[in-house]
Amino acid sequence: MKAFVYRGPGKKALEEHAKPEITAPTDAIVKIIKTTICGTDLHILKGDVPTCQPGRILGHEGVGIVDKVGPAVTAFKPGDRVLISCVSACGKCVYCRKQMYSHCTTGGWILGNTIDGTQAEFVRTPYADTSLYPIPEGADEEALVMLSDILPTGFECGVLNGKVQPGSVTAIVGSGPVGLAALLTAQFFSPAEIIMIDLDDNRLEMAKRFGATATVNSADGKAVETVMKMTGNRGVDTAIEAVGIPATFELCEKIVAPGGTIANIGVHGQQVALHLECLWDRNISITTRLVDTATIPMLFKTVASRKIDPRRLITHRFKLDNILDAYDAFGNAAKTKALKVIIEA
Amino acid sequence: MKAFVYRGPGKKALEEHAKPEITAPTDAIVKIIKTTICGTDLHILKGDVPTCQPGRILGHEGVGIVDKVGPAVTAFKPGDRVLISCVSACGKCVYCRKQMYSHCTTGGWILGNTIDGTQAEFVRTPYADTSLYPIPEGADEEALVMLSDILPTGFECGVLNGKVQPGSVTAIVGSGPVGLAALLTAQFFSPAEIIMIDLDDNRLEMAKRFGATATVNSADGKAVETVMKMTGNRGVDTAIEAVGIPATFELCEKIVAPGGTIANIGVHGQQVALHLECLWDRNISITTRLVDTATIPMLFKTVASRKIDPRRLITHRFKLDNILDAYDAFGNAAKTKALKVIIEA
Amino acid sequence: MKAFVYRGPGKKALEEHAKPEITAPTDAIVKIIKTTICGTDLHILKGDVPTCQPGRILGHEGVGIVDKVGPAVTAFKPGDRVLISCVSACGKCVYCRKQMYSHCTTGGWILGNTIDGTQAEFVRTPYADTSLYPIPEGADEEALVMLSDILPTGFECGVLNGKVQPGSVTAIVGSGPVGLAALLTAQFFSPAEIIMIDLDDNRLEMAKRFGATATVNSADGKAVETVMKMTGNRGVDTAIEAVGIPATFELCEKIVAPGGTIANIGVHGQQVALHLECLWDRNISITTRLVDTATIPMLFKTVASRKIDPRRLITHRFKLDNILDAYDAFGNAAKTKALKVIIEA
Amino acid sequence: MKAFVYRGPGKKALEEHAKPEITAPTDAIVKIIKTTICGTDLHILKGDVPTCQPGRILGHEGVGIVDKVGPAVTAFKPGDRVLISCVSACGKCVYCRKQMYSHCTTGGWILGNTIDGTQAEFVRTPYADTSLYPIPEGADEEALVMLSDILPTGFECGVLNGKVQPGSVTAIVGSGPVGLAALLTAQFFSPAEIIMIDLDDNRLEMAKRFGATATVNSADGKAVETVMKMTGNRGVDTAIEAVGIPATFELCEKIVAPGGTIANIGVHGQQVALHLECLWDRNISITTRLVDTATIPMLFKTVASRKIDPRRLITHRFKLDNILDAYDAFGNAAKTKALKVIIEA
């Protein structure tokens, strides 16, 4: 089969690869219909993710058709159409019991990381019963690819952890795909205001179309003053960090209101300065989270009932044969205005 | 009347002072029976609290007898015995409405800070109806002095924010009076383990008597390894920071388990390093809080029903005339082993 | 001044009445701009509310202009435009402290019940600082009349108590004004389905326009089967009772899913059968609540940010001089299709 | 093997029975060490539980040693010492995902009900990985038998659902084994008062030794007045129903304070009168629950850390050969003062 393989920092290839086999009774083999590329895949290609070694097939998102199942799989059978969670969950360990699947003691984010992933014609998915989700008849499968990772990430790490509430004020720092996923799902809770902050006017324009009530281009270094003025000098109830660098996290520290929450989504590569000399008495919370994808079933329902349209995140489409072009488009988002790219296997 | 007055950095005096007068219809004048000294008072004396200017009567804790009330006070009358909250709450603003009294827009921690305090024969207490609490007949008034600040601080900022639960594992970093208040109140929730961490063996010995299930002297620089070993390499569900310096906060970052909480109580004077490069995917929460004293009524009940004995925090007793000695004893706790000192007016 | 007065069961009159005076330092006198009629007013007129005695001016909703304030009122001054909460809250008692204003030990629902109400040119409002809410410049005052009682009632007693969530299934039994208020505010949380149940096709038609995803006319006695079929035999996550009779409450008992909630809004005049022989092992919750109006400030923000348009509940408008006509229209809703009627003073 | 078998209403026998076999890959066969009898077993013997048919081996509690495991079992191997949950959980269905194991779509309470149970030398336990719990080295196995059902029942259905809090007032109606289990576990949360209500002075005496702060014998028909007097006419924050008849549930309705909770544990055979004409405006919650045993791991930790001693519930011990005597003792608790009886296999 064809597969997209990481070949060491800066190196990647679309290669011929052996089809995966069932190796544990709880495995399934899934024929990929559609997959996509995540910002994390770009990090891997740069060599920033040491758990992922050369030779690995990348990809942790996608929809497909069950091809084979191991003898202990009871929820799925060959022919079933499924959504693949980016997180594999054994369903039994102390973390899975409390739906903290991200920290499953034998699973978690392993697909396209420590085991081969979804950017291929077939993938082996461990713990199929608790890591795949049935796609209802007639559902828009392309839209559902957004439920493997990006929508639950924005929703769980940003919106739920950030306690977005009706009438509250939310700021989202970072208007890339993940920030926009938080923007879309924040609207489930009807906040009064969603202020989107970024350096790129194009992305902010997109954010307005996605439901932001205000946008702030922070290039002028005055984002804090602007947000404080917008909020009557009170600050925001929820500040969602969706970039992953010190400057954006510290911006969140400065705009969060007393009693508010900073919900971190960003993947950080270095420490940040936590200004406890200002924050110790501000009654705030700071949260971090690797997506658990525990809300996938709930998100299915919001898609089915048209509370949200995940297709709005999809800007480009490619065939698996042209996945290198897909990486080019996704990797040059500033130029191509790519958000999420669909790859058809 | 006699009053203890801050006279600028390093200077203090027991002075004769005019008795306070009602200045707003919601004020009460309270004759102090017993008061105490807080670590914050020592900070003021060093000049570290710029909001508190020379000439100020210090003190924000105490029990007393209502002497006079303003015309709008309805819950109290002269002769009533009352506990004074360290936080003044108007009861009307957006923060008071949600019991975040610490951020009352016209109150908060003002006693012994921006207005004269309780280390005197009389004190004016603003917003009496919502800042004083009636002392039931027959209650132990000395014990109740601990409810003005230190017990709600340990409980609200440490135990409640830290989500201590039956069967969970809590670590408290700092075995001074506030850390011990957290230790006492953590036991309301029956955690399986409370690990107390400090540099001073005497304080750790005290912690054991107060209910710690294990103690760790961190002087050897191996506290992280020790705690990880104690917890089967999992870390603690709740890490309570009760010191207020970068080293102790960073210790909490290193011992918190996935899904756990770091509850900051410490008053920090500088930024700390937040290691998001390690924590971004650990599903943790970090909380900060200035005590709201919203739990004073609840704490009254736990004292009355003997679930807790706050007298255990009291080590020394002085007359107001000897308050300078009281400050000496409290300020040299390493030598005197003072926890809380009672000053009788 | 003119005032609408309850004169004993079945008797009512628009009368000349003395203008109210300040009687407590926390009172305000408010000149009514607009008020409305509540279903409870009809109950009073029938003689069903024994706390309300003949001679009482009715009405507990409205917006107005502050005319006078008592000496202890600090949040308002004459000339301020205000929304009047249907619930008077002292702000100090144990219930007010936890925002359970409905059970204020000296307040609660007293306006137009045990003290004179708002269907008059002027009203005395006790505890003005904590029972009135400032109307922002430029707000639509007619819309805000809906925030005195009906919207917080639907939202607090139905939606919040019922734990409506994104993607969940809600049924609302009763498509009258209160049920529709629940319907409007349930949408703050983006449930996947809202099934509206009533006996009147006109009201169900209205419900569809207000956002119901399905409607069930229960006249055929098959509402239970219909709802179970709609939900794949699972039942609903939230069942909101908005009628107040045994039949509708028992319907909720039959359609609630395991793990679900029955949120009662209805004013019940008699006991209902609780089928614990079926429900004891179903892991459900049942809640009751008299509206606290604690969410008025939040609702203000959702109106200002156009997440909800309360004007949709207003069907008729009258002058105070014609309030008897207003009662006729409101009392014959089946014929007049009245939801809420505005009375201009 | 020997097994205790239900032979139709009023009929029971200790019989020779075939040893169970693995029938699904997720099964385990467990050699019983110790088991016990539940009140539900008595109901079955009377013919009150139609799901349980004659020929069934009873029993849904116990500790044992794993004898065999199916090929899909990964968490246990022969020789492991295990606690058996009374509830079988597939770990995969929508209910198991949210730890509502009681409503597992293919499990739930089936042991000793629709499949053979634990009052035998061996038992087949379905879904072993998610329905058995490893017993730590050195643990007191007899004490742990109480964690199969009765302690989680008291804790989950009564204490957790009832939101027992530090300083709060709890009443428990019914001082039998389940009520006492609620009493023991309520103390995890340090309520100020626990009022135990029963008709039997012996049981109330026992309750005092188990930690009740007050007891009320309701035989005089004045329990409501007594409790209201005890609580300053306010009522209780939490009322736990642990009997299962209309009179005791209605007692809870009458003593619950505004804002309080009625947590039902009792197995009810008929409807009860819910006095919504009194309760509709009291802001209360009523909860029902079949035990999920989701707290077994937490309860393990509280036992290990000596926060609770479940042995206090054990009054009698028998060999499996004498299980008919055990049923006699347990069935005549008024005379024998039996709480829980241990049966050694």
Side-chain angles (χ1 to χ4, degrees):
Chain A
M1 68 172 189
K2 278 171 288 186
F4 178 82
V5 179
Y6 167 57
R7 282 286 158 210
K11 294 183 205 154
K12 60 193 179 200
L14 181 66
E15 302 181 355
E16 196 58 28
H17 202 284
K19 199 180 143 183
E21 296 295 331
I22 299 281
T23 61
T26 46
D27 284 350
I29 304 298
V30 178
K31 183 177 188 319
I32 296 296
I33 300 173
K34 293 185 184 190
T35 182
T36 181
I37 305 173
C38 179
T40 312
D41 296 324
L42 301 183
H43 282 293
I44 292 174
L45 289 180
K46 279 197 269 181
D48 286 351
V49 182
T51 48
C52 185
Q53 290 296 306
R56 178 68 61 231
I57 300 175
L58 298 193
H60 49 265
E61 300 164 275
V63 296
I65 300 174
V66 174
D67 184 55
K68 287 183 198 164
V69 296
V73 173
T74 59
F76 300 99
K77 60 179 190 310
D80 286 351
R81 303 180 85 87
V82 292
L83 173 73
I84 302 166
S85 166
C86 64
V87 158
S88 303
C90 78
K92 304 171 180 180
C93 72
V94 64
Y95 293 113
C96 283
R97 291 293 186 104
K98 49 180 170 177
Q99 296 208 303
M100 215 172 108
Y101 303 135
S102 59
H103 286 69
C104 172
T105 53
T106 57
W109 174 46
I110 53 176
L111 268 189
N113 176 8
T114 59
I115 65 171
D116 284 334
T118 58
Q119 292 168 4
E121 289 180 78
F122 292 88
V123 66
R124 179 180 69 88
T125 57
Y127 305 128
D129 279 343
T130 38
S131 308
L132 300 177
Y133 292 87
I135 294 183
E137 192 76 31
D140 174 350
E141 295 181 344
E142 196 166 279
L144 294 184
V145 174
M146 302 299 109
L147 271 64
S148 285
D149 180 344
I150 191 163
L151 276 181
T153 293
F155 184 59
E156 297 177 3
C157 309
V159 175
L160 286 184
N161 271 18
K163 304 178 202 85
V164 175
Q165 288 297 321
S168 71
V169 178
T170 294
I172 301 174
V173 184
S175 190
V178 172
L180 292 170
L183 171 59
L184 285 175
T185 54
Q187 295 171 66
F188 288 152
F189 292 109
S190 310
E193 291 170 53
I194 311 180
I195 303 165
M196 209 77 187
I197 304 172
D198 201 290
L199 292 164
D200 181 321
D201 280 330
N202 282 322
R203 290 186 150 191
L204 291 173
E205 192 49 48
M206 179 88 64
K208 271 205 176 145
R209 289 202 302 274
F210 277 45
T213 60
T215 58
V216 175
N217 188 316
S218 53
D220 63 2
K222 294 185 182 159
V224 175
E225 293 94 306
T226 308
V227 171
M228 294 313 282
K229 187 182 286 181
M230 279 176 174
T231 58
N233 223 32
R234 205 183 62 86
V236 301
D237 301 301
T238 302
I240 297 177
E241 205 282 350
V243 179
I245 60 171
T248 47
F249 191 87
E250 291 188 47
L251 172 54
C252 291
E253 294 182 32
K254 286 176 186 140
I255 61 176
V256 67
T261 302
I262 300 174
N264 184 75
I265 312 180
V267 178
H268 290 259
Q270 53 179 297
Q271 66 178 58
V272 308
L274 180 61
H275 291 283
L276 282 180
E277 77 280 14
C278 304
L279 295 171
W280 73 270
D281 65 352
R282 299 271 286 178
N283 298 37
I284 63 153
S285 298
I286 299 169
T287 65
T288 72
R289 187 168 182 180
L290 180 60
V291 66
D292 294 302
T293 70
T295 59
I296 286 177
M298 187 225 91
L299 289 167
F300 259 108
K301 291 175 195 163
T302 61
V303 172
S305 60
R306 297 169 195 237
K307 302 299 170 203
I308 190 174
D309 177 8
R311 292 177 69 98
R312 301 176 71 180
L313 289 165
I314 302 170
T315 52
H316 295 67
R317 287 167 184 82
F318 298 87
K319 296 283 176 191
L320 179 57
D321 282 335
N322 305 320
I323 190 168
L324 295 176
D325 297 338
Y327 266 92
D328 276 350
F330 186 67
N332 293 289
K335 209 177 73 188
T336 62
K337 299 190 187 172
L339 293 174
K340 290 293 278 189
V341 303
I342 286 287
I343 294 153
E344 218 170 309
Chain B
M1 68 172 190
K2 279 172 290 187
F4 178 82
V5 178
Y6 167 58
R7 281 289 158 208
K11 295 184 204 150
K12 59 193 178 199
L14 181 66
E15 301 181 356
E16 196 59 27
H17 203 284
K19 196 180 145 184
E21 296 295 332
I22 298 281
T23 61
T26 46
D27 283 350
I29 304 298
V30 177
K31 183 178 189 317
I32 295 296
I33 302 173
K34 294 185 183 190
T35 182
T36 182
I37 305 173
C38 179
T40 312
D41 296 324
L42 301 183
H43 282 294
I44 293 174
L45 289 178
K46 279 197 269 182
D48 286 353
V49 182
T51 48
C52 184
Q53 291 295 307
R56 178 68 60 232
I57 302 175
L58 298 192
H60 50 266
E61 299 164 274
V63 297
I65 300 174
V66 174
D67 185 56
K68 286 184 198 162
V69 296
V73 173
T74 59
F76 300 99
K77 59 180 191 309
D80 286 351
R81 302 179 86 86
V82 291
L83 172 74
I84 302 166
S85 166
C86 64
V87 158
S88 303
C90 77
K92 304 171 180 179
C93 72
V94 63
Y95 293 113
C96 283
R97 292 292 186 106
K98 48 181 171 176
Q99 296 207 302
M100 215 171 107
Y101 303 135
S102 59
H103 286 69
C104 173
T105 53
T106 56
W109 175 45
I110 54 175
L111 267 190
N113 176 8
T114 59
I115 65 170
D116 284 336
T118 59
Q119 292 169 5
E121 289 180 77
F122 292 89
V123 66
R124 179 180 70 87
T125 58
Y127 306 127
D129 279 343
T130 37
S131 309
L132 300 177
Y133 292 86
I135 294 183
E137 193 75 32
D140 174 350
E141 293 180 346
E142 195 165 282
L144 294 184
V145 175
M146 303 299 111
L147 271 62
S148 286
D149 180 343
I150 191 163
L151 275 182
T153 293
F155 185 58
E156 296 176 4
C157 309
V159 176
L160 286 185
N161 271 17
K163 303 178 203 85
V164 175
Q165 289 298 319
S168 72
V169 178
T170 293
I172 301 175
V173 184
S175 189
V178 172
L180 292 170
L183 171 58
L184 286 175
T185 53
Q187 295 170 67
F188 288 152
F189 292 108
S190 309
E193 292 172 53
I194 310 181
I195 304 165
M196 209 77 186
I197 305 171
D198 201 292
L199 292 164
D200 181 321
D201 279 330
N202 284 321
R203 291 187 148 190
L204 291 173
E205 193 49 48
M206 178 87 65
K208 271 205 176 146
R209 290 202 301 275
F210 277 45
T213 59
T215 58
V216 175
N217 188 316
S218 53
D220 63 2
K222 294 186 183 161
V224 175
E225 293 94 307
T226 308
V227 172
M228 294 313 282
K229 189 183 284 181
M230 281 176 171
T231 57
N233 223 33
R234 203 182 63 86
V236 301
D237 301 302
T238 302
I240 297 177
E241 206 281 350
V243 179
I245 59 171
T248 47
F249 192 88
E250 291 188 47
L251 172 54
C252 291
E253 294 182 31
K254 286 175 184 142
I255 61 176
V256 67
T261 301
I262 300 173
N264 185 77
I265 312 181
V267 178
H268 290 260
Q270 54 179 296
Q271 66 178 58
V272 307
L274 179 63
H275 292 282
L276 282 180
E277 77 279 17
C278 303
L279 296 171
W280 74 269
D281 65 352
R282 298 272 285 177
N283 298 37
I284 63 155
S285 297
I286 299 169
T287 65
T288 72
R289 187 168 181 180
L290 180 60
V291 66
D292 295 301
T293 70
T295 60
I296 285 176
M298 185 225 92
L299 289 167
F300 260 107
K301 292 175 194 163
T302 60
V303 173
S305 60
R306 295 167 198 240
K307 301 299 170 203
I308 190 173
D309 178 7
R311 293 177 70 97
R312 301 177 71 180
L313 288 166
I314 302 170
T315 52
H316 295 68
R317 288 167 184 81
F318 299 87
K319 296 282 177 193
L320 179 56
D321 282 334
N322 304 320
I323 191 169
L324 295 176
D325 297 339
Y327 266 92
D328 276 352
F330 186 68
N332 292 289
K335 209 177 73 187
T336 62
K337 299 190 187 171
L339 291 175
K340 290 294 278 187
V341 304
I342 286 286
I343 294 153
E344 218 169 311
Chain C
M1 67 172 189
K2 280 171 288 189
F4 178 82
V5 178
Y6 168 57
R7 282 287 157 210
K11 296 185 206 150
K12 61 192 180 203
L14 181 66
E15 301 182 355
E16 195 59 27
H17 203 284
K19 197 181 146 184
E21 295 294 332
I22 298 282
T23 61
T26 45
D27 283 350
I29 304 299
V30 177
K31 182 176 190 320
I32 296 295
I33 301 173
K34 295 187 184 188
T35 182
T36 181
I37 306 173
C38 178
T40 312
D41 296 325
L42 300 183
H43 282 293
I44 292 173
L45 289 179
K46 279 197 271 184
D48 286 352
V49 181
T51 47
C52 184
Q53 291 295 307
R56 179 66 60 230
I57 301 175
L58 298 192
H60 49 267
E61 301 165 273
V63 297
I65 299 175
V66 174
D67 185 55
K68 284 184 199 164
V69 296
V73 173
T74 58
F76 299 101
K77 59 180 193 308
D80 286 351
R81 303 180 85 87
V82 291
L83 173 74
I84 302 165
S85 167
C86 65
V87 158
S88 302
C90 78
K92 303 171 180 179
C93 71
V94 63
Y95 293 113
C96 282
R97 291 293 186 107
K98 48 181 170 176
Q99 295 208 303
M100 216 172 105
Y101 303 135
S102 59
H103 286 70
C104 174
T105 53
T106 56
W109 174 45
I110 54 176
L111 268 190
N113 176 8
T114 60
I115 65 171
D116 284 334
T118 57
Q119 293 168 4
E121 290 180 77
F122 292 88
V123 66
R124 179 180 70 86
T125 57
Y127 306 128
D129 279 343
T130 38
S131 308
L132 299 177
Y133 292 86
I135 294 184
E137 192 76 33
D140 173 351
E141 294 180 347
E142 196 166 278
L144 294 184
V145 175
M146 303 299 110
L147 270 63
S148 285
D149 181 343
I150 192 163
L151 275 182
T153 294
F155 185 58
E156 295 176 5
C157 309
V159 176
L160 285 185
N161 272 18
K163 304 177 202 84
V164 175
Q165 288 298 319
S168 72
V169 178
T170 294
I172 301 173
V173 184
S175 189
V178 172
L180 292 171
L183 171 58
L184 285 175
T185 53
Q187 296 170 66
F188 288 153
F189 292 108
S190 310
E193 291 171 53
I194 310 179
I195 304 166
M196 209 78 188
I197 304 172
D198 201 291
L199 292 164
D200 182 319
D201 280 331
N202 283 321
R203 289 186 150 191
L204 291 174
E205 192 50 48
M206 178 87 65
K208 271 205 177 145
R209 289 202 301 274
F210 277 45
T213 59
T215 59
V216 175
N217 189 316
S218 53
D220 63 1
K222 294 186 184 159
V224 174
E225 293 95 306
T226 308
V227 171
M228 293 314 280
K229 189 182 284 181
M230 279 175 172
T231 58
N233 223 33
R234 204 182 63 86
V236 301
D237 301 301
T238 302
I240 296 176
E241 206 281 349
V243 179
I245 60 171
T248 46
F249 191 87
E250 292 188 47
L251 172 54
C252 291
E253 295 183 31
K254 285 174 186 141
I255 62 176
V256 67
T261 301
I262 299 173
N264 185 75
I265 311 180
V267 178
H268 290 259
Q270 55 180 295
Q271 66 178 60
V272 307
L274 180 62
H275 292 282
L276 281 181
E277 76 279 15
C278 303
L279 295 172
W280 74 269
D281 64 352
R282 297 272 285 179
N283 298 38
I284 63 153
S285 297
I286 298 169
T287 65
T288 72
R289 188 169 182 178
L290 180 59
V291 66
D292 295 301
T293 69
T295 59
I296 286 178
M298 185 226 90
L299 289 167
F300 260 108
K301 290 175 195 164
T302 60
V303 173
S305 60
R306 297 169 194 235
K307 301 298 172 203
I308 191 173
D309 177 8
R311 291 178 71 98
R312 301 177 70 179
L313 289 166
I314 302 169
T315 52
H316 295 67
R317 287 167 184 83
F318 299 87
K319 297 280 176 193
L320 179 56
D321 282 334
N322 305 320
I323 190 167
L324 295 176
D325 297 339
Y327 266 91
D328 276 351
F330 186 67
N332 293 289
K335 210 178 71 187
T336 61
K337 299 190 186 171
L339 292 174
K340 291 293 277 186
V341 304
I342 285 287
I343 294 153
E344 217 169 311
Chain D
M1 67 172 189
K2 281 172 287 188
F4 178 82
V5 178
Y6 167 57
R7 282 288 158 210
K11 295 184 205 150
K12 60 192 179 202
L14 181 66
E15 301 181 355
E16 195 59 27
H17 203 283
K19 196 181 145 183
E21 296 294 332
I22 298 281
T23 62
T26 47
D27 284 350
I29 304 299
V30 177
K31 183 178 189 320
I32 295 296
I33 301 172
K34 295 185 183 190
T35 181
T36 182
I37 304 174
C38 178
T40 312
D41 296 325
L42 301 183
H43 282 293
I44 292 173
L45 289 178
K46 280 198 268 181
D48 286 353
V49 181
T51 47
C52 184
Q53 290 297 305
R56 178 66 60 231
I57 301 174
L58 298 192
H60 49 265
E61 299 164 275
V63 296
I65 299 174
V66 174
D67 184 55
K68 283 185 199 163
V69 296
V73 173
T74 59
F76 300 100
K77 60 180 189 309
D80 286 349
R81 301 179 87 86
V82 292
L83 173 75
I84 302 166
S85 166
C86 65
V87 158
S88 303
C90 77
K92 302 171 181 180
C93 72
V94 62
Y95 294 113
C96 282
R97 292 292 186 106
K98 49 181 170 176
Q99 296 208 302
M100 216 172 107
Y101 304 135
S102 59
H103 286 70
C104 173
T105 52
T106 56
W109 175 45
I110 54 176
L111 268 189
N113 177 7
T114 59
I115 65 171
D116 285 335
T118 59
Q119 293 169 4
E121 291 180 77
F122 292 88
V123 66
R124 179 180 70 87
T125 57
Y127 305 127
D129 279 342
T130 38
S131 309
L132 300 177
Y133 292 86
I135 295 183
E137 193 74 33
D140 174 350
E141 293 180 347
E142 196 165 279
L144 294 184
V145 174
M146 302 300 110
L147 270 63
S148 286
D149 180 344
I150 192 164
L151 276 182
T153 294
F155 184 58
E156 296 176 4
C157 309
V159 176
L160 286 185
N161 272 17
K163 304 178 202 84
V164 175
Q165 288 297 320
S168 72
V169 178
T170 294
I172 301 174
V173 184
S175 188
V178 171
L180 292 170
L183 171 58
L184 286 175
T185 53
Q187 295 171 67
F188 288 152
F189 292 109
S190 309
E193 291 171 53
I194 311 181
I195 304 165
M196 209 78 187
I197 305 171
D198 201 291
L199 292 164
D200 182 321
D201 279 332
N202 283 321
R203 289 187 150 191
L204 290 173
E205 193 49 49
M206 178 87 65
K208 271 205 177 145
R209 290 203 301 275
F210 277 46
T213 59
T215 59
V216 175
N217 189 316
S218 53
D220 63 3
K222 294 185 183 160
V224 174
E225 293 93 307
T226 309
V227 172
M228 293 313 280
K229 189 183 284 180
M230 279 175 172
T231 58
N233 223 31
R234 204 181 63 86
V236 302
D237 301 302
T238 302
I240 296 176
E241 206 282 350
V243 178
I245 61 172
T248 47
F249 191 88
E250 291 188 46
L251 172 54
C252 291
E253 295 182 31
K254 285 174 187 142
I255 61 176
V256 67
T261 301
I262 300 173
N264 185 77
I265 312 181
V267 178
H268 290 259
Q270 53 179 296
Q271 67 178 58
V272 308
L274 180 62
H275 292 281
L276 281 181
E277 76 280 16
C278 303
L279 295 171
W280 73 269
D281 64 352
R282 298 272 283 178
N283 298 37
I284 63 154
S285 297
I286 299 169
T287 64
T288 72
R289 188 169 181 179
L290 179 60
V291 65
D292 295 301
T293 70
T295 59
I296 286 178
M298 185 226 91
L299 289 167
F300 260 108
K301 290 175 194 162
T302 61
V303 173
S305 60
R306 296 167 195 238
K307 302 299 171 202
I308 190 172
D309 177 8
R311 292 177 70 98
R312 303 177 69 181
L313 290 165
I314 302 170
T315 53
H316 294 68
R317 286 168 184 82
F318 297 89
K319 296 280 177 194
L320 179 57
D321 282 334
N322 305 319
I323 190 168
L324 294 176
D325 298 339
Y327 266 92
D328 276 352
F330 186 67
N332 293 289
K335 209 176 74 188
T336 62
K337 300 190 186 170
L339 292 174
K340 290 294 278 185
V341 304
I342 285 286
I343 294 153
E344 217 169 311

